[in-house]
């Protein structure tokens, strides 16, 4: 094969991936064009902003107690914040923020980023036999001991988040976490490709 053909083949593969419907984990990706991507991102931003506004509204009366150098007082304030958020969204469940079109777009972006950055070789295996099984539940405490920060390249592939929340990885799931309240906001199951 000539050198020109070596350069053309990856471009052709990329063009096919962009212009034709693809499958992530055997599921049809809903976002087939830029307009669908934009719509999915707007849905995500609206749902996320709704949550962050709720967080800020319930946090405001608690903020004086929350800003403490005493670890016990800070933990107590975080527990109060978590309780106030749970009370404000008692029926919260998976998929309120990671709606189907958002989930498809995120899985697609994460799969492409993982492949482009050789994620399987760069990150420790998340689904080892020794890893504890964790049931992630919205509005419940974050399992910090088994979660890890999302790899920077993965974070760059996703929308920027307000300071109140962050992306975490638990096994292959992408978890949206309220950092101050120490609660799971939403979970995108099997967001990362299997190794």
């Amino acid at each position: 094969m000539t050198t020109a053909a070596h350069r053309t083949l990856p471009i052709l593969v990329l063009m096919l991936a962009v212009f034709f419907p693809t499958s992530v984990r055997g599921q049809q990706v809903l976002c087939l064009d830029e307009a669908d991507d934009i719509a999915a991102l707007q849905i995500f931003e609206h749902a996320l902003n709704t949550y962050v506004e709720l967080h800020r509204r319930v946090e405001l009366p608690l903020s004086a107690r929350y800003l403490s150098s005493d670890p016990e007082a800070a933990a107590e304030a975080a527990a109060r914040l978590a309780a106030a958020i749970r009370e404000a969204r008692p029926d919260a469940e998976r998929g309120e923020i990671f709606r189907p079109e958002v989930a498809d777009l995120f899985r697609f972006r994460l799969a492409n980023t993982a492949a482009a950055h050789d994620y399987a070789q760069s990150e420790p295996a998340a689904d080892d036999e020794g890893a504890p099984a964790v049931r992630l539940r919205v509005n419940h405490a974050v399992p910090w001991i088994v979660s890890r920060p999302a790899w920077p390249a993965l974070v760059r592939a996703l929308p920027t988040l307000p300071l109140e929340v962050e992306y975490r990885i638990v096994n292959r799931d992408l978890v949206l976490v309220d950092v101050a309240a120490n609660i799971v906001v939403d979970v995108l199951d099997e967001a990362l490709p299997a190794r």
Side-chain angles (χ1 to χ4, degrees), residues 1-87:
M1 202 182 255
T2 66
T3 306
H6 282 280
R7 286 183 291 217
T8 309
L9 187 58
I11 293 170
L12 179 61
V13 170
L14 179 61
M15 288 175 61
L16 288 171
V18 170
F19 291 109
F20 291 94
T22 56
S23 176
V24 176
R25 291 186 338 90
Q27 296 178 348
Q28 183 67 32
V29 175
L30 297 177
C31 302
L32 300 177
D33 60 28
E34 188 175 349
D36 287 341
D37 289 354
I38 291 169
L41 291 173
Q42 288 173 340
I43 289 167
F44 174 75
E45 288 175 7
H46 176 73
L48 179 62
N49 288 339
T50 299
Y51 175 81
V52 170
E53 287 169 11
L54 177 141
H55 169 105
R56 291 174 182 169
R57 189 173 60 250
V58 300
E59 183 181 41
L60 192 59
L62 304 172
S63 60
R65 290 182 231 158
Y66 182 72
L67 298 173
S68 173
S69 60
D70 177 17
E72 288 181 17
E76 185 179 312
R80 273 194 235 103
L81 177 58
I85 290 172
R86 285 184 189 108
E87 185 178 321

Side-chain angles (χ1 to χ4, degrees), residues 104-125:
D104 284 342
L105 176 63
F106 278 31
R107 284 187 184 110
F108 181 75
R109 285 185 172 192
L110 292 171
N112 285 343
T113 302
H117 292 277
D118 203 9
Y119 177 77
Q121 298 301 319
S122 302
E123 278 287 288

Side-chain angles (χ1 to χ4, degrees), residues 95-182:
E96 287 184 10
I97 295 174
F98 293 131
R99 297 193 180 146
E101 50 277 271
V102 173
D104 284 342
L105 176 63
F106 278 31
R107 284 187 184 110
F108 181 75
R109 285 185 172 192
L110 292 171
N112 285 343
T113 302
H117 292 277
D118 203 9
Y119 177 77
Q121 298 301 319
S122 302
E123 278 287 288
D127 43 7
D128 290 337
E129 289 178 21
V134 176
R135 174 139 169 77
L136 297 167
R137 296 173 58 195
V138 173
N139 262 359
H140 286 76
V142 176
W144 293 106
I145 197 160
V146 294
S147 77
R148 64 188 193 282
W151 196 37
L154 298 177
V155 171
R156 285 191 300 273
L158 302 175
T160 303
L161 298 175
L163 293 175
E164 290 83 358
V165 292
E166 72 176 35
Y167 299 115
R168 301 284 295 182
I169 302 294
V170 175
N171 296 325
R172 291 177 42 218
D173 300 337
L174 179 68
V175 184
L176 189 62
V177 169
D178 185 315
V179 180
N182 184 31

